[in-house]
């Protein structure tokens, strides 16, 4: 840990820190650092996802993630720095030792950083503010969004990852049960972003079976008739190295959602999925019931 540092907990010293917090999010100011430059704000959050906003950042901020018991098995933490994140370094704390995750002066942009949080200690994120040439009270705001995930194969130490290989039958049957979204539709377009090393798949959906949030939205599409038709549209992210291209035919898209973005998992052609599911159903090997049209 940093030497000669005073750590004040919000719940113990509200008259000094005037913190505002709920179970998922925290927004606070660093004005209290003017009293003592050694002060470290300490915040405790109990949700599996949320956000932190630090206005007029002071010396340091320590965020301890203490999820409820139902999420105790979620042992991977991912954070996404805000677009305006400048003038601070981000550390993760393991057994009282700090490890650098994001360096001051870097360009986190839209990048996601993940780390494992196994062990008896609660995961903690430590922000160290840097002195500013325009004074300690210049108008600045930094922060990040966080998610606690389970031991998923598509999460790596340097960010969110996906597999480019096709799913086998077992993986596909599990995907329709456990994915954050399951959507049937067509690929309208694919765009590539070399800087983020990802591709964006634009999907016109025939049916949204379920989704965790509002990644896919209904829009009115005019089709020549005076009456407009509602259709579902959305975007799915995948790795640039997967070389996804627009393709004809109907697909079943599955995957996970992170920080409001959909990431591709299994995506077979719908007719191939039907064959796999019906065979598994006849043999009573299906992992869950799926609504067939």
């Amino acid at each position: 840990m940093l030497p000669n540092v005073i750590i004040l907990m919000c719940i113990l010293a509200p008259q000094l820190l005037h913190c505002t917090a709920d179970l998922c999010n925290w927004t606070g100011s660093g004005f209290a650092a003017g009293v003592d430059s050694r002060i470290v704000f300490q915040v405790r959050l109990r949700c599996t996802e949320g956000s932190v906003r630090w206005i007029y950042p002071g010396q340091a901020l320590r965020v301890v993630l203490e999820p409820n018991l139902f999420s105790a098995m979620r042992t991977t933490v991912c954070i996404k720095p805000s677009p305006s994140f400048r003038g601070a370094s981000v550390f993760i704390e393991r057994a009282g030792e700090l490890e650098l995750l994001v360096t001051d002066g870097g360009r986190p942009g839209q990048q996601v950083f993940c780390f494992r949080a196994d062990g008896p200690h609660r995961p903690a994120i430590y922000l160290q503010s840097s002195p500013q040439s325009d004074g300690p009270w210049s108008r600045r705001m930094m922060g990040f969004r966080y998610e606690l995930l389970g031991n998923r194969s598509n999460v790596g130490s340097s960010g969110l990852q996906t597999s480019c290989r096709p799913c086998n039958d077992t993986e596909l049957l599990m995907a329709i049960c456990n994915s954050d979204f399951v959507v049937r539709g067509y690929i309208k377009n694919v765009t590539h972003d070399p800087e983020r090393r990802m591709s964006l798949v634009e999907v016109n959906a025939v049916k949204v079976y379920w989704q965790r949030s509002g990644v896919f939205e209904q829009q009115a599409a005019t089709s020549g008739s005076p009456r407009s038709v509602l259709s579902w549209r959305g975007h799915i992210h995948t790795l640039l190295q997967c070389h996804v291209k627009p393709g004809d035919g109907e697909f079943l898209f599955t995957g996970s959602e992170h920080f409001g973005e959909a990431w591709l998992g299994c995506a077979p052609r719908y007719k191939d999925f039907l064959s796999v599911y019906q065979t598994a159903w006849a043999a009573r090997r299906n992992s869950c019931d799926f609504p067939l049209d």
Side-chain angles (χ1 to χ4, degrees), residues 4-20:
N4 301 322
V5 170
I6 299 175
I7 297 181
L8 298 180
M9 295 178 62
C10 297
I11 59 174
L12 296 180
Q15 71 280 9
L16 291 178
L17 300 183
H18 301 288
C19 292
T20 58

Side-chain angles (χ1 to χ4, degrees), residues 15-259:
Q15 71 280 9
L16 291 178
L17 300 183
H18 301 288
C19 292
T20 58
D22 59 28
L23 294 179
C24 302
N25 310 303
W26 179 83
T27 298
S29 170
F31 275 118
V35 179
D36 192 324
S37 62
R38 298 173 297 165
I39 287 179
V40 174
F41 293 85
Q42 178 155 291
V43 178
R44 296 182 182 274
L45 300 175
R46 296 187 179 274
C47 292
T48 56
E49 60 182 86
S51 63
V52 171
R53 296 175 69 247
W54 196 17
I55 306 170
Y56 299 108
Q59 171 71 8
L61 175 69
R62 182 173 182 262
V63 181
V64 181
L65 303 178
E66 297 181 321
N68 294 323
L69 293 178
F70 76 88
S71 57
M73 298 302 294
R74 296 171 181 255
T75 56
T76 298
V77 179
C78 292
I79 67 171
K80 183 176 183 179
S82 61
S84 60
F85 193 96
R86 296 291 186 274
S89 297
V90 182
F91 300 82
I92 58 174
E93 184 179 312
R94 301 180 194 268
E97 299 293 330
L98 298 180
E99 300 177 14
L100 183 63
L101 188 66
V102 183
T103 182
D104 183 17
R107 297 174 58 86
Q110 297 297 309
Q111 189 173 356
V112 174
F113 301 88
C114 300
F115 63 92
R116 298 296 297 273
D118 297 326
H121 301 282
R122 297 294 189 183
I125 302 167
Y126 191 98
L127 275 68
Q128 176 70 55
S129 179
S130 303
Q132 296 296 298
S133 58
D134 51 356
W137 306 123
S138 60
R139 176 65 179 180
R140 286 190 297 149
M141 192 281 289
M142 64 181 60
F144 59 87
R145 296 168 64 184
Y146 68 89
E147 286 187 358
L148 276 72
L149 310 175
N151 289 322
R152 302 182 183 181
S153 59
N154 65 335
V155 177
S157 60
S158 59
L160 303 176
Q161 299 178 353
T162 59
S163 174
C164 296
R165 65 172 178 80
C167 295
N168 59 37
D169 293 353
T170 300
E171 292 168 334
L172 175 56
L173 293 172
M174 290 299 295
I176 62 172
C177 304
N178 301 329
S179 293
D180 291 335
F181 65 88
V182 179
V183 174
R184 193 175 107 214
Y186 302 86
I187 298 177
K188 181 180 180 182
N189 190 29
V190 179
T191 57
H192 305 289
D193 187 344
E195 184 176 352
R196 292 185 62 188
R197 299 189 298 278
M198 66 92 178
S199 298
L200 193 63
V201 182
E202 184 178 356
V203 174
N204 280 349
V206 175
K207 186 169 184 178
V208 175
Y209 294 95
W210 56 79
Q211 59 176 330
R212 185 162 63 91
S213 60
V215 173
F216 294 89
E217 300 178 336
Q218 277 191 315
Q219 298 180 353
T222 57
S223 58
S225 62
R227 182 176 299 177
S228 62
V229 179
L230 289 177
S231 63
W232 291 90
R233 296 184 182 179
H235 295 83
I236 304 176
H237 297 70
T238 189
L239 295 180
L240 184 66
Q241 67 195 47
C242 294
H243 304 293
V244 175
K245 299 178 180 179
D248 296 330
E250 195 174 25
F251 294 84
L252 187 71
F253 301 97
T254 69
S256 56
E257 297 181 18
H258 304 286
F259 303 106

